[in-house]
Structures are given as structure tokens and as C-alpha cells.
Amino acid sequence: MKPHILIVEDEQALALLLRYNLENEGFEVEIVERGDEVETRVRENPPDLVILDWMLPGASGIEICRRLRARPETKSLPILMLTARGEETERVRGLATGADDYGVKPFSVPELIARIHALLRRAKPEQLAALLKAGDIELDREKKRVHRAGRELNLGPTEFRLLEFLMLSPGRVFSREQLLDNVWGREAYVDERTVDVHVGRLRKALSRGREADPIRTVRGSGYSFNERFAEAG
Ligand code: CA
């Protein structure tokens, strides 16, 4: 079943942009423009996640968030709050009120989608997206296949898991130790340099010739999947 997302946003252009991108991503999308219509809609057609604008006619995002959190059936419904730039203190208040994450306008759509996937995974592990996409790279988690610009890549199982793990959190930098824990498993008895070896192999498999390298080495910290690469697609 497709995950169902409720967008609460009174800026029509933005709501439509989100709908278009989320539907492309395989979600079922519904839009509500007024804050005071949210609760009824949530009751009638319970969503898997709510994208909630901060400033709304009828009731503010903060108020809705508070109300949803107060009811047992929507207590743990994932909520992603949208705020305008410069509302830093309000953003903090938003999280304190119980939103799970926030996006600052103008936001990057791929980044927002990555956050939505992350929130859904946390909420419902069975709704794991089967397909991870970033730029021209597609990773199929069920078939364990990776394609770049339509060409299938030949990855070893460790390189596959490494890429999968990095793609799940674009932009986030992981230390070698974190990668060992998450990709190899805690009990694995391997040296941190092993990570470098496998990242090297992964890069080689991903980038033939002049293709952009989606993996970023962060000196002194570790590695990350470049979120700019994800946006380029
Ligand atoms: Ca608004």
C-alpha cells in the first residue's frame, strides 16, 4: 500500500509542487489549506505522515501539532513542520511542541523527501522504500541491484550495504566507526581502514570516467552521501 501523506499548506503553488514530487515518489497525497480542517480530515482518512505549515488560516501549525499529539490515535503520527527562514526560535518551539522534524522554506525537495522517508521508516519499518534514488543512481533494496544512468553496477554485498546506508541519510557525515557499526555490524572484527578500502571500491564501481562522485570524504570526520548530488537529479 502506498504511504499516505497529508499536506497542510495554504500556499497553493508550494502545496502543488510538493504533491507533484511526492506522487512521483510513489506516495498518495492529499492537500488541506486550512488549519481548522486538519483534525476532521485526519479522522476521516488517517495519513501516515503530515507535512504541516507553520502559518495557516484557521489554526496555526503549532496549535494543530499540539492537538494531534494530545489524542492517543495521532500521538505518534509523524509530523514534519514547515517554517519560513528566520523563524529559528519558532522552529525550536515547533520541535518542542512535538513535530518530529522541520523543513525551512525555501527547502530542497529531495532533502525534504529524504526526511519524509526517514520519518516513515522510523514510524513504520515495513514501509521501507524499496527504491532509493539520488541523481542518476537508483538502488533497489529488494532486488539488491544498483543502476547508474540506466547501467547496472556490479557491487559486492558490503559496497551495496554501504551505499544503501549512506543514501538513506544524504548529507549526513558518518565516522568510520559509525559505518562499521551500521554496515558491518558491531560484532564484526575489522579495522577502520577497511571502511576506506570499501569506500574506494564503491567509488570505483559508481563512477566510471567523468561521472560525478556522490560520496564525499570529510577530512577528520568520515564519509557522507553528497546531498548536492541527490539534488542534481
Ligand atoms: Ca502558510
Side-chain angles (χ1 to χ4, degrees):
M1 221 180 78
K2 287 182 179 181
H4 169 207
I5 296 185
L6 178 65
I7 299 173
V8 187
E9 171 61 81
D10 58 321
E11 281 170 59
Q12 271 189 7
L14 184 57
L16 291 176
L17 172 81
L18 281 173
R19 160 180 268 169
Y20 174 78
N21 283 283
L22 291 171
E23 282 178 350
N24 270 350
E25 202 63 21
F27 295 113
E28 195 189 301
V29 179
E30 204 181 348
I31 298 174
V32 167
E33 290 181 13
R34 292 186 55 89
D36 47 8
E37 286 169 9
V38 177
E39 280 175 292
T40 320
R41 198 63 75 86
V42 164
R43 222 171 296 136
E44 286 166 0
N45 190 8
D48 296 297
L49 181 142
V50 180
I51 298 176
L52 189 56
D53 187 27
W54 176 274
M55 301 293 280
L56 290 162
S60 76
I62 269 292
E63 178 57 30
I64 296 160
C65 197
R66 204 174 281 137
R67 286 187 212 160
L68 290 173
R69 285 293 176 256
R71 285 175 49 220
E73 55 275 38
T74 49
K75 200 167 167 263
S76 51
L77 175 64
I79 298 175
L80 196 157
M81 186 85 89
L82 296 180
T83 67
R85 212 172 272 288
E87 292 175 336
E88 306 294 320
T89 49
E90 296 190 339
R91 238 199 285 165
V92 174
R93 241 169 76 207
L95 287 173
T97 314
D100 299 283
D101 202 354
Y102 59 84
V104 182
K105 296 180 192 174
F107 48 79
S108 125
V109 170
E111 197 198 320
L112 199 79
I113 288 174
R115 287 180 180 201
I116 288 169
H117 280 302
L119 285 178
L120 287 173
R121 267 196 308 281
R122 250 191 277 159
K124 287 190 180 175
E126 70 273 19
Q127 280 189 349
L128 272 171
L131 201 63
L132 302 178
K133 280 195 238 177
D136 57 358
I137 297 176
E138 273 191 25
L139 182 146
D140 190 318
R141 308 177 78 186
E142 282 168 6
K143 295 181 187 148
K144 307 278 180 214
R145 286 174 192 274
V146 179
H147 286 86
R148 178 154 197 187
R151 149 179 77 93
E152 186 170 355
L153 306 181
N154 191 11
L155 296 187
T158 305
E159 284 72 42
F160 181 89
R161 285 201 308 276
L162 186 58
L163 179 62
E164 182 183 28
F165 182 71
L166 290 172
M167 281 181 84
L168 284 169
S169 306
R172 186 161 160 206
V173 181
F174 294 99
S175 68
R176 289 169 179 80
E177 197 188 345
Q178 286 172 321
L179 291 171
L180 281 177
D181 279 353
N182 287 286
V183 177
W184 278 261
R186 261 168 216 281
E187 59 285 357
Y189 204 75
V190 283
D191 195 83
E192 289 193 4
R193 274 169 301 178
T194 307
V195 176
D196 300 330
V197 172
H198 285 275
V199 168
R201 282 186 201 156
L202 176 58
R203 279 188 162 135
K204 214 170 153 194
L206 283 172
S207 306
R208 282 200 317 206
R210 282 176 296 177
E211 286 169 307
D213 182 0
I215 302 196
R216 200 160 67 92
T217 304
V218 184
R219 232 169 267 283
S221 301
Y223 296 102
S224 85
F225 191 88
N226 195 336
E227 74 278 19
R228 292 197 189 129
F229 177 85
E231 284 163 22

